[in-house]
Amino acid sequence: MSTTSSDPLAALGALPGVTDAVDSVRKAVDRVYGHRVMRRRSNEVTAEAALRGARGSAALSGADWNLEEVRRRTDFSGEDEARTVGAALRLTAEAGQLLSIWRQSPLRVLARLHLVAAGGASPDDAVGRPRLAGEPVDEPLVEAPLPDAHEVAGRLDGLSQLIIAGSEAPALVMASVVHGELLALRPFGSHNGLVARTAERIVLIGSGLDPKSICPAEVGHAEQGRAAYVAAFEGYLSGKPEGMAAWIEHCGRSVELGVRESTAVCEALQRGAA
């Protein structure tokens, strides 16, 4: 991630394809917020979006359960997949509680997210803090070279400063960069993908683009598939304008697919079928 100007994200928002993606996402979000069901039953749509978003994020981390299994299950201990789904559900529930802290102390929020995701599954001294030199990272999806602990600390600080300073860039651009940077750094010993996607959710909500959290990008990331997710992320890693644009466009499509999912929920609620 470049930090060569006072607002390094502004140039990303002007990249070819990104402006169109931003406009398309805004129009899609406005449409679902204008659905008549949202006037009286938005809480139900939010709850369903959270469930479906958690399912999608878990799927990308290797626990591709069907929605009804996630809905039915009460015990998420035991096997690895169950713990992954449980972590995704806890993170989705936690995201909305951390909005007021995010803009003042994003690193504190990231530490909290890792603590919630780990749920006691990691050694106590490794939970809720960036990894130290020599500590391993368990991230089943991303195989890119791992930055060392010193680089992680410096780039996390840069990301934190960027969030605190704010940006005139569209919410989609900020959310995509936060998501991509956390995936690139993998700052924790585990659950980095889940944390990165939750941070993306927090930015989309806190920016005002999706204040009721009814547009789960995680659904779209999962629907496009793990291979497409990794390919788009490699564009982010390249640092090249076309690669960055491809990643932001991928994230934009994911939000739009999340909108489509919640629109279907609204339609089902309107028919009395959900």
Side-chain angles (χ1 to χ4, degrees), residues 70-154:
V70 177
R71 197 190 305 279
R72 179 194 66 80
R73 190 77 167 253
T74 57
D75 181 8
F76 295 97
S77 60
E79 71 272 24
D80 288 345
E81 286 194 6
R83 290 199 297 271
T84 297
V85 174
L89 288 167
R90 291 191 300 272
L91 284 171
T92 303
E94 188 77 6
Q97 310 302 313
L98 298 171
L99 295 173
S100 62
I101 307 171
W102 175 255
R103 285 295 297 272
Q104 286 76 42
S105 184
L107 297 185
R108 180 179 163 197
V109 169
L110 292 174
R112 173 63 184 170
L113 291 177
H114 186 244
L115 183 67
V116 169
S122 302
D124 289 347
D125 65 351
V127 173
R129 62 156 174 81
R131 54 188 167 83
L132 303 177
E135 290 184 333
V137 173
D138 177 16
E139 182 51 56
L141 184 58
V142 178
E143 298 180 353
L146 196 66
D148 64 31
H150 179 73
E151 181 179 353
V152 168

Side-chain angles (χ1 to χ4, degrees), residues 57-63 84 91 114 117 131 135-147 179 182-197 226 229-230 233:
S57 192
L60 285 172
S61 287
T84 297
L91 284 171
H114 186 244
R131 54 188 167 83
E135 290 184 333
V137 173
D138 177 16
E139 182 51 56
L141 184 58
V142 178
E143 298 180 353
L146 196 66
H179 182 172
L182 291 173
L183 271 188
L185 295 179
R186 281 147 289 161
F188 303 108
S190 61
H191 302 98
N192 288 289
L194 294 174
V195 168
R197 291 184 289 275
R226 298 178 90 192
Y229 184 75
V230 171
F233 172 60

Side-chain angles (χ1 to χ4, degrees), residues 37-49 212 214 269:
V37 165
M38 289 296 296
R39 297 177 204 155
R40 293 188 298 270
R41 305 183 71 177
S42 64
N43 288 344
E44 293 172 71
V45 181
T46 295
E48 190 65 20
K212 293 183 183 294
I214 61 167
L269 288 169

